[in-house]
Amino acid sequence: MELLEKRIARDGIVKEGNVLKVDSFLNHQMDIELFDEMGKEFRRLFADRPINKILTIEASGIGIACVAARHFHVPVVFAKKAQSINLDGEVYSSKVESFTHKRVYDVIVSKKYLGPEDHILILDDFLANGCAVNGLIEIIEGAKATVEGIGIAVEKGWQTGGKSLRERGYRLESLAIVEDMDPQTGRITFRR
Ligand code: 5GP
């Protein structure tokens, strides 16, 4: 998606350790006009899928998912990061290793909001090694719901998440795929 690529190229900051900072428009301050265009594009890309719910993970996925949901006319459920001592039989849960914070979280979704009748679009801001998305897939499988697709704002193409999800047959659509980025020069190149 050219609009998003241009914005990343203009305002993205390449950090050491494979991290792309997009705090000025996506992860901290949020450009809602841009989110709206992204939502429209996700809708176009997944128009053939019978999606009745969007699932994301707190915190950065929530804004994108909510704006996208306006185009799908479906509710958004977000997986919550929980303390494991609070886990009980009322939730689906999985473990996710945070790429940016390097720690493992339990993530949970109440059994009230996910079930076998659901056809889910997973949405998130970034795809790196795929831990967050795999955690959400596990939760969906636990609920015996169907994964209709996975929509990502920014995929880092050299990390393994995207390749492995595509190889497993998931319909994965990333609005921008960063092919390479250099913390020394700040240069970011995209896969087209
Ligand atoms: P994964 O679980 O695929 O390894 O990483 C995805 C998650 O880590 C996303 O939910 C996102 O919050 C965070 N993340 C991964 N890479 C980056 C990055 O380069 N920049 C930012 N801002 N977040 C990232």
Side-chain angles (χ1 to χ4, degrees):
M1 182 186 177
E2 206 184 336
L3 188 67
L4 180 61
E5 290 180 3
K6 279 191 172 154
R7 192 62 179 272
I8 295 167
R10 196 186 78 183
D11 295 336
I13 297 168
V14 183
K15 297 282 188 188
E16 295 289 348
N18 269 338
V19 173
L20 176 61
K21 285 280 242 187
V22 286
D23 278 5
S24 66
F25 61 96
L26 204 134
N27 280 144
H28 194 11
Q29 176 169 256
M30 296 181 284
D31 182 338
I32 302 304
E33 300 290 326
L34 175 65
F35 280 23
D36 196 52
E37 292 301 321
M38 288 160 51
K40 218 183 277 177
E41 183 64 2
F42 282 133
R43 177 76 184 109
R44 189 185 69 79
L45 291 166
F46 292 104
D48 59 328
R49 295 286 166 122
I51 290 156
N52 74 330
K53 208 166 271 185
I54 291 173
L55 180 66
T56 188
I57 183 164
E58 72 174 350
S60 308
I62 297 174
I64 294 167
C66 288
V67 178
R70 299 274 298 160
H71 296 275
F72 286 86
H73 306 287
V74 299
V76 174
V77 176
F78 66 90
K80 295 189 177 199
K81 290 172 180 158
Q83 302 299 330
S84 42
I85 43 172
N86 290 338
L87 296 184
D88 58 28
E90 301 305 304
V91 296
Y92 302 110
S93 72
S94 68
K95 287 194 188 299
V96 169
E97 184 178 346
S98 159
F99 180 82
T100 37
H101 300 112
K102 305 282 180 246
R103 49 170 286 211
V104 176
Y105 294 92
D106 285 297
V107 293
I108 59 163
V109 171
S110 167
K111 288 186 176 174
K112 277 189 265 185
Y113 306 123
L114 218 50
E117 68 285 1
D118 285 321
H119 291 256
I120 308 289
L121 174 64
I122 294 174
L123 289 184
D124 203 9
D125 59 340
F126 270 88
L127 179 62
N129 295 322
C131 296
V133 168
N134 281 320
L136 295 177
I137 290 173
E138 236 178 81
I139 283 176
I140 293 168
E141 284 173 348
K144 299 192 169 22
T146 307
V147 180
E148 289 294 343
I150 302 161
I152 298 290
V154 189
E155 176 180 339
K156 290 182 292 178
W158 69 93
Q159 295 191 259
T160 55
K163 186 166 183 282
S164 117
L165 287 164
R166 289 185 181 96
E167 278 174 3
R168 285 155 63 200
Y170 289 105
R171 168 89 167 270
L172 167 63
E173 300 281 1
S174 299
L175 301 185
I177 303 182
V178 176
E179 188 65 38
D180 191 34
M181 59 187 201
D182 183 345
Q184 250 66 53
T185 61
R187 196 180 146 76
I188 300 167
T189 48
F190 296 94
R191 186 185 301 168
R192 294 270 158 66

